[in-house]
Amino acid sequence: MSTPVVEALSPAATQAVAAKVLTGAWSGRALVKLLGELEKWDVVIEAKKAKMNKLWIGSMIGAFVGFILMFVLFPYGIALFLIPFVLIFIFKKQLNGLEAADIPDELRKSVRPVLKQLGQDLHPEEKIKGTIQLTGIDESRCKLKKDLPPGHNRSLKLSVYETEVCDLRLPLADGSTAVLRLNNTFHKLERSYRTTRGKCKSKTKWKKAVTATAMLIPPVRWNWEPARMQKYVDKVNEKLSFAEKNGVMAARLDRYYKFKGIGNAPVATVPAEDIMKLFVRLSGMRPAGGTR
Amino acid sequence: MNCQWQMGVLVMRECGMPAAAGCAICSRPICAAHTMMGQNGPACPGCAAHTAGYGENDDTEIAGARDQYYSQYGGATQFGSRGYFSRPDSASMAQRGLQQKPTQQRQYDDKET
């Protein structure tokens, strides 16, 4: 599949687009800037995708009309069918290339705004470490594929894709470390059946389950005060836990989301405000006084 | 006197640079970098974020977002008394009426399993 030419991107962004992953250590500003570049790249790709999609649909309509005209204007009318017919494949190939180059929306809607808002909290000298995946749903990430028991005249196929969108460790100015993780699990349910008239039909349903994890690892042992924020923890969709990390007790808040889509995988993602609220609540459990 | 504007969302700390003016709204001393000019005179980013007639920058954006987040979890009452906000911050939050607010309508289905 052809990948669009990378224009006006910095070497780091070019490398990230090519490798489809961002790994390493960055200062807060550098990472926000790099993600900003990738965001612009994503916007350009989205626009190109929309244009290519229109061309693809146009060529299909053209091929249909050409097919009818072919008989009316035979033999010269063959060209009217063949040209749009060939274009269908060319545009589809280019559309696939653009879809492969597309960057997940989590980067634009979740990760970058959070990093921007936490910009003043970051340690001025230490660096953010971690990984950000730039691929969406990929066959290599398919964890499960199975045929479900079929009913009358139909088949059910379930595919599960798992992606860890990001795992970032953010050193904060007071010596503690904030950890941000986003995990996506896509459930694709393909159902095909035969109607009473003998037509084969198929429907694809998608479910996207996202787990947003915020963790706060203190620099020294803290006596967390969870009682203060307990009432603000959603008992259905959130889970508060504490775990021993490197000799200190880390506080962790997970939030679970579910999004649905028919035909295409849902593009909705965790709002940045929700991630910030996870961190704010964890921060609100710090022991009062003497922590900064 | 030093600038008393508190930077950050999670780890709030005073700017500490020499003050160049006083906020016309909450009267805390502020440095040149944290002075926003508008129709009421110089203002700190927190007051500028909530007052019409002031521009926007990263500081006002963070200040506005911080107030919004904390106000949902008890605001000045919950955090101010625990040393999370400085006295001027707590006072200005209380002045702006940033007490606990109901959460916004969500776009996804919370109850779906």
Side-chain angles (χ1 to χ4, degrees):
Chain A
M1 274 179 279
S2 61
T3 309
V5 183
V6 181
E7 291 162 3
L9 288 180
S10 68
T14 311
Q15 200 183 350
V17 167
K20 301 296 262 172
V21 66
L22 264 176
T23 314
W26 314 267
S27 68
R29 261 178 208 279
L31 185 56
V32 169
K33 197 180 163 195
L34 181 57
L35 294 180
E37 275 189 74
L38 294 174
E39 192 178 311
K40 280 181 194 160
W41 158 262
D42 193 32
V43 170
V44 170
I45 294 290
E46 291 283 350
K48 281 185 179 175
K49 241 171 73 178
K51 191 181 167 188
M52 198 53 68
N53 203 31
K54 277 182 190 168
L55 287 172
W56 181 55
I57 292 168
S59 62
M60 280 198 286
I61 294 168
F64 178 73
V65 174
F67 183 73
I68 296 164
L69 288 176
M70 184 175 73
F71 296 104
V72 179
L73 304 169
F74 191 80
Y76 307 106
I78 294 173
L80 290 174
F81 166 68
L82 278 181
I83 293 168
F85 187 71
V86 171
L87 284 176
I88 292 174
F89 294 98
I90 294 170
F91 291 147
K92 182 65 184 165
K93 195 180 173 191
Q94 291 195 353
L95 190 64
N96 287 343
L98 289 167
E99 268 168 11
D102 196 16
I103 290 168
D105 285 356
E106 277 82 356
L107 202 79
R108 195 171 67 221
K109 294 177 184 168
S110 310
V111 181
R112 188 166 180 257
V114 168
L115 290 173
K116 218 176 156 192
Q117 288 190 12
L118 289 179
Q120 294 181 349
D121 296 286
L122 297 174
H123 197 286
E125 283 156 21
E126 289 186 39
K127 296 206 165 180
I128 298 171
K129 289 176 191 162
T131 308
I132 302 174
Q133 291 291 340
L134 303 180
T135 47
I137 302 159
D138 190 351
E139 281 304 316
S140 64
R141 297 180 191 284
C142 186
K143 298 286 168 196
L144 177 77
K145 215 166 207 174
K146 69 174 179 182
D147 291 319
L148 298 177
H152 180 63
N153 284 345
R154 66 182 180 188
S155 75
L156 277 172
K157 209 177 271 180
L158 175 73
S159 312
V160 179
Y161 303 87
E162 280 180 8
T163 320
E164 188 176 63
V165 179
C166 79
D167 183 1
L168 293 173
R169 291 176 74 85
L170 314 163
L172 301 182
D174 68 343
S176 55
T177 306
V179 179
L180 168 63
R181 279 189 204 130
L182 284 177
N183 284 300
N184 286 350
T185 307
F186 291 92
H187 293 255
K188 183 186 179 188
L189 193 65
E190 290 167 288
R191 174 173 165 255
S192 57
Y193 58 96
R194 194 174 286 274
T195 61
T196 47
R197 290 185 174 184
K199 269 187 179 176
C200 265
K201 289 199 168 183
S202 67
K203 262 187 184 174
T204 308
K205 282 186 179 179
W206 287 87
K207 267 189 183 180
K208 179 183 178 185
V210 186
T211 307
T213 303
M215 209 188 319
L216 212 52
I217 307 169
V220 291
R221 190 167 274 277
W222 282 352
N223 290 322
W224 292 96
E225 295 176 12
R228 206 178 322 142
M229 285 290 131
Q230 202 89 52
K231 63 180 169 184
Y232 299 117
V233 175
D234 180 345
K235 288 184 182 68
V236 179
N237 297 303
E238 291 178 345
K239 187 185 163 197
L240 173 66
S241 57
F242 296 90
E244 190 91 10
K245 291 252 175 206
N246 306 326
V248 291
M249 194 63 84
R252 174 180 170 153
L253 193 51
D254 295 277
R255 185 170 173 88
Y256 309 101
Y257 298 83
K258 278 202 175 87
F259 305 101
K260 278 186 199 170
I262 294 172
N264 295 318
V267 289
T269 185
V270 183
E273 296 94 69
D274 281 16
I275 298 173
M276 286 302 294
K277 285 175 197 169
L278 295 177
F279 280 121
V280 165
R281 277 175 286 168
L282 287 177
S283 185
M285 289 179 220
R286 292 165 186 238
T291 58
R292 61 191 79 131
Chain B
M1 196 170 277
N2 289 337
C3 174
Q4 286 182 7
W5 170 246
Q6 288 217 312
M7 302 187 303
V9 178
L10 303 179
V11 186
M12 277 172 278
R13 60 216 184 279
E14 280 184 4
C15 160
M17 295 298 285
C23 175
I25 299 164
C26 69
S27 66
R28 83 174 90 188
I30 39 175
C31 66
H34 288 127
T35 301
M36 304 290 297
M37 290 308 294
Q39 59 185 17
N40 296 335
C44 67
C47 293
H50 297 280
T51 311
Y54 285 89
E56 284 180 8
N57 63 11
D58 283 354
D59 288 316
T60 55
E61 196 183 309
I62 289 174
R66 184 173 75 187
D67 284 352
Q68 188 205 331
Y69 300 141
Y70 281 100
S71 62
Q72 289 184 9
Y73 304 116
T77 318
Q78 180 76 6
F79 289 92
S81 60
R82 312 290 299 197
Y84 283 84
F85 294 123
S86 68
R87 196 164 294 167
D89 269 318
S90 301
S92 63
M93 277 182 89
Q95 189 188 336
R96 289 195 293 272
L98 288 173
Q99 298 303 322
Q100 191 172 346
K101 281 181 185 171
T103 50
Q104 288 178 342
Q105 189 75 37
R106 296 191 178 281
Q107 289 178 342
Y108 50 85
D109 187 0
D110 269 359
K111 300 285 176 284
E112 195 202 336
T113 52

mmCIF file of all heavy atoms in Angstrom, chain A residues 267-289:
data_model
loop_
_atom_site.group_PDB
_atom_site.id
_atom_site.type_symbol
_atom_site.label_atom_id
_atom_site.label_comp_id
_atom_site.label_asym_id
_atom_site.label_seq_id
_atom_site.Cartn_x
_atom_site.Cartn_y
_atom_site.Cartn_z
ATOM 1 N N VAL A 267 -14.965 5.771 16.548
ATOM 2 C CA VAL A 267 -13.792 6.644 16.677
ATOM 3 C C VAL A 267 -13.829 7.452 17.971
ATOM 4 O O VAL A 267 -12.858 8.121 18.310
ATOM 5 C CB VAL A 267 -13.663 7.620 15.477
ATOM 6 C CG1 VAL A 267 -13.252 6.894 14.225
ATOM 7 C CG2 VAL A 267 -14.954 8.393 15.256
ATOM 8 N N ALA A 268 -14.940 7.364 18.690
ATOM 9 C CA ALA A 268 -15.052 8.121 19.948
ATOM 10 C C ALA A 268 -13.976 7.659 20.926
ATOM 11 O O ALA A 268 -13.559 6.499 20.904
ATOM 12 C CB ALA A 268 -16.423 7.895 20.561
ATOM 13 N N THR A 269 -13.529 8.566 21.734
ATOM 14 C CA THR A 269 -12.480 8.206 22.687
ATOM 15 C C THR A 269 -12.649 8.946 24.016
ATOM 16 O O THR A 269 -13.578 9.735 24.159
ATOM 17 C CB THR A 269 -11.100 8.475 22.054
ATOM 18 O OG1 THR A 269 -10.103 8.025 22.942
ATOM 19 C CG2 THR A 269 -10.885 9.943 21.758
ATOM 20 N N VAL A 270 -11.770 8.676 24.928
ATOM 21 C CA VAL A 270 -11.879 9.253 26.269
ATOM 22 C C VAL A 270 -11.617 10.760 26.213
ATOM 23 O O VAL A 270 -10.589 11.174 25.688
ATOM 24 C CB VAL A 270 -10.838 8.598 27.208
ATOM 25 C CG1 VAL A 270 -10.968 9.124 28.611
ATOM 26 C CG2 VAL A 270 -10.967 7.099 27.169
ATOM 27 N N PRO A 271 -12.529 11.579 26.739
ATOM 28 C CA PRO A 271 -12.251 13.019 26.744
ATOM 29 C C PRO A 271 -11.076 13.342 27.679
ATOM 30 O O PRO A 271 -10.925 12.710 28.727
ATOM 31 C CB PRO A 271 -13.542 13.641 27.277
ATOM 32 C CG PRO A 271 -14.537 12.552 27.362
ATOM 33 C CD PRO A 271 -13.811 11.260 27.368
ATOM 34 N N ALA A 272 -10.279 14.315 27.262
ATOM 35 C CA ALA A 272 -9.105 14.694 28.067
ATOM 36 C C ALA A 272 -9.521 15.156 29.469
ATOM 37 O O ALA A 272 -8.814 14.915 30.449
ATOM 38 C CB ALA A 272 -8.334 15.787 27.361
ATOM 39 N N GLU A 273 -10.693 15.794 29.568
ATOM 40 C CA GLU A 273 -11.160 16.284 30.874
ATOM 41 C C GLU A 273 -11.322 15.121 31.846
ATOM 42 O O GLU A 273 -11.024 15.259 33.039
ATOM 43 C CB GLU A 273 -12.512 17.001 30.754
ATOM 44 C CG GLU A 273 -12.503 18.256 29.929
ATOM 45 C CD GLU A 273 -12.895 17.957 28.505
ATOM 46 O OE1 GLU A 273 -14.044 17.633 28.236
ATOM 47 O OE2 GLU A 273 -11.989 18.037 27.643
ATOM 48 N N ASP A 274 -11.805 13.991 31.335
ATOM 49 C CA ASP A 274 -12.013 12.837 32.212
ATOM 50 C C ASP A 274 -10.680 12.330 32.767
ATOM 51 O O ASP A 274 -10.592 11.939 33.930
ATOM 52 C CB ASP A 274 -12.727 11.712 31.454
ATOM 53 C CG ASP A 274 -14.224 11.960 31.337
ATOM 54 O OD1 ASP A 274 -14.624 13.113 31.562
ATOM 55 O OD2 ASP A 274 -14.962 11.017 31.019
ATOM 56 N N ILE A 275 -9.660 12.337 31.919
ATOM 57 C CA ILE A 275 -8.333 11.879 32.376
ATOM 58 C C ILE A 275 -7.802 12.847 33.431
ATOM 59 O O ILE A 275 -7.266 12.442 34.459
ATOM 60 C CB ILE A 275 -7.355 11.771 31.185
ATOM 61 C CG1 ILE A 275 -7.867 10.738 30.170
ATOM 62 C CG2 ILE A 275 -5.958 11.387 31.660
ATOM 63 C CD1 ILE A 275 -7.079 10.664 28.893
ATOM 64 N N MET A 276 -7.998 14.134 33.172
ATOM 65 C CA MET A 276 -7.537 15.132 34.137
ATOM 66 C C MET A 276 -8.267 14.972 35.473
ATOM 67 O O MET A 276 -7.678 15.115 36.540
ATOM 68 C CB MET A 276 -7.766 16.549 33.583
ATOM 69 C CG MET A 276 -6.814 16.953 32.486
ATOM 70 S SD MET A 276 -5.087 16.877 32.948
ATOM 71 C CE MET A 276 -4.996 18.142 34.191
ATOM 72 N N LYS A 277 -9.556 14.638 35.384
ATOM 73 C CA LYS A 277 -10.335 14.466 36.618
ATOM 74 C C LYS A 277 -9.856 13.250 37.404
ATOM 75 O O LYS A 277 -9.926 13.235 38.636
ATOM 76 C CB LYS A 277 -11.824 14.352 36.293
ATOM 77 C CG LYS A 277 -12.442 15.689 35.933
ATOM 78 C CD LYS A 277 -13.869 15.475 35.512
ATOM 79 C CE LYS A 277 -14.401 16.669 34.770
ATOM 80 N NZ LYS A 277 -15.686 16.371 34.133
ATOM 81 N N LEU A 278 -9.365 12.240 36.695
ATOM 82 C CA LEU A 278 -8.797 11.076 37.406
ATOM 83 C C LEU A 278 -7.582 11.530 38.205
ATOM 84 O O LEU A 278 -7.422 11.202 39.389
ATOM 85 C CB LEU A 278 -8.379 9.979 36.409
ATOM 86 C CG LEU A 278 -9.462 9.280 35.587
ATOM 87 C CD1 LEU A 278 -8.838 8.285 34.621
ATOM 88 C CD2 LEU A 278 -10.470 8.568 36.460
ATOM 89 N N PHE A 279 -6.728 12.311 37.569
ATOM 90 C CA PHE A 279 -5.516 12.786 38.240
ATOM 91 C C PHE A 279 -5.848 13.745 39.393
ATOM 92 O O PHE A 279 -5.227 13.698 40.444
ATOM 93 C CB PHE A 279 -4.580 13.479 37.241
ATOM 94 C CG PHE A 279 -3.758 12.521 36.422
ATOM 95 C CD1 PHE A 279 -3.842 12.503 35.042
ATOM 96 C CD2 PHE A 279 -2.893 11.618 37.027
ATOM 97 C CE1 PHE A 279 -3.091 11.616 34.281
ATOM 98 C CE2 PHE A 279 -2.133 10.728 36.280
ATOM 99 C CZ PHE A 279 -2.233 10.731 34.908
ATOM 100 N N VAL A 280 -6.847 14.599 39.147
ATOM 101 C CA VAL A 280 -7.220 15.573 40.196
ATOM 102 C C VAL A 280 -7.719 14.835 41.439
ATOM 103 O O VAL A 280 -7.364 15.179 42.572
ATOM 104 C CB VAL A 280 -8.286 16.561 39.647
ATOM 105 C CG1 VAL A 280 -8.960 17.321 40.776
ATOM 106 C CG2 VAL A 280 -7.644 17.545 38.691
ATOM 107 N N ARG A 281 -8.505 13.774 41.226
ATOM 108 C CA ARG A 281 -9.015 13.024 42.378
ATOM 109 C C ARG A 281 -7.897 12.282 43.099
ATOM 110 O O ARG A 281 -7.865 12.222 44.318
ATOM 111 C CB ARG A 281 -10.123 12.071 41.943
ATOM 112 C CG ARG A 281 -11.462 12.789 41.853
ATOM 113 C CD ARG A 281 -12.524 11.902 41.324
ATOM 114 N NE ARG A 281 -12.365 11.687 39.887
ATOM 115 C CZ ARG A 281 -13.029 10.760 39.206
ATOM 116 N NH1 ARG A 281 -13.863 9.957 39.813
ATOM 117 N NH2 ARG A 281 -12.864 10.644 37.908
ATOM 118 N N LEU A 282 -6.963 11.734 42.318
ATOM 119 C CA LEU A 282 -5.821 11.067 42.966
ATOM 120 C C LEU A 282 -5.016 12.087 43.763
ATOM 121 O O LEU A 282 -4.591 11.827 44.889
ATOM 122 C CB LEU A 282 -4.916 10.416 41.909
ATOM 123 C CG LEU A 282 -5.448 9.153 41.230
ATOM 124 C CD1 LEU A 282 -4.477 8.668 40.170
ATOM 125 C CD2 LEU A 282 -5.681 8.032 42.237
ATOM 126 N N SER A 283 -4.832 13.243 43.164
ATOM 127 C CA SER A 283 -4.088 14.301 43.838
ATOM 128 C C SER A 283 -4.809 14.752 45.109
ATOM 129 O O SER A 283 -4.176 15.102 46.104
ATOM 130 C CB SER A 283 -3.917 15.468 42.868
ATOM 131 O OG SER A 283 -3.126 16.453 43.420
ATOM 132 N N GLY A 284 -6.139 14.706 45.058
ATOM 133 C CA GLY A 284 -6.936 15.102 46.221
ATOM 134 C C GLY A 284 -6.839 14.121 47.388
ATOM 135 O O GLY A 284 -7.274 14.431 48.494
ATOM 136 N N MET A 285 -6.264 12.958 47.145
ATOM 137 C CA MET A 285 -6.095 11.961 48.226
ATOM 138 C C MET A 285 -4.744 12.060 48.900
ATOM 139 O O MET A 285 -4.432 11.270 49.781
ATOM 140 C CB MET A 285 -6.257 10.554 47.647
ATOM 141 C CG MET A 285 -7.667 10.221 47.246
ATOM 142 S SD MET A 285 -7.713 8.583 46.556
ATOM 143 C CE MET A 285 -8.828 8.804 45.224
ATOM 144 N N ARG A 286 -3.928 13.008 48.441
ATOM 145 C CA ARG A 286 -2.623 13.180 49.072
ATOM 146 C C ARG A 286 -2.826 13.588 50.518
ATOM 147 O O ARG A 286 -3.791 14.271 50.843
ATOM 148 C CB ARG A 286 -1.850 14.333 48.413
ATOM 149 C CG ARG A 286 -1.415 14.087 47.016
ATOM 150 C CD ARG A 286 -1.017 15.426 46.426
ATOM 151 N NE ARG A 286 -0.705 15.286 45.018
ATOM 152 C CZ ARG A 286 0.472 15.625 44.512
ATOM 153 N NH1 ARG A 286 1.417 16.115 45.267
ATOM 154 N NH2 ARG A 286 0.689 15.489 43.237
ATOM 155 N N PRO A 287 -1.897 13.212 51.373
ATOM 156 C CA PRO A 287 -2.026 13.667 52.763
ATOM 157 C C PRO A 287 -1.918 15.188 52.821
ATOM 158 O O PRO A 287 -1.145 15.779 52.064
ATOM 159 C CB PRO A 287 -0.852 12.988 53.463
ATOM 160 C CG PRO A 287 0.076 12.574 52.390
ATOM 161 C CD PRO A 287 -0.725 12.383 51.148
ATOM 162 N N ALA A 288 -2.709 15.803 53.670
ATOM 163 C CA ALA A 288 -2.717 17.264 53.760
ATOM 164 C C ALA A 288 -1.423 17.776 54.363
ATOM 165 O O ALA A 288 -0.934 17.219 55.333
ATOM 166 C CB ALA A 288 -3.890 17.718 54.601
ATOM 167 N N GLY A 289 -0.885 18.833 53.757
ATOM 168 C CA GLY A 289 0.318 19.485 54.288
ATOM 169 C C GLY A 289 1.558 18.626 54.154
ATOM 170 O O GLY A 289 1.511 17.421 54.114
#
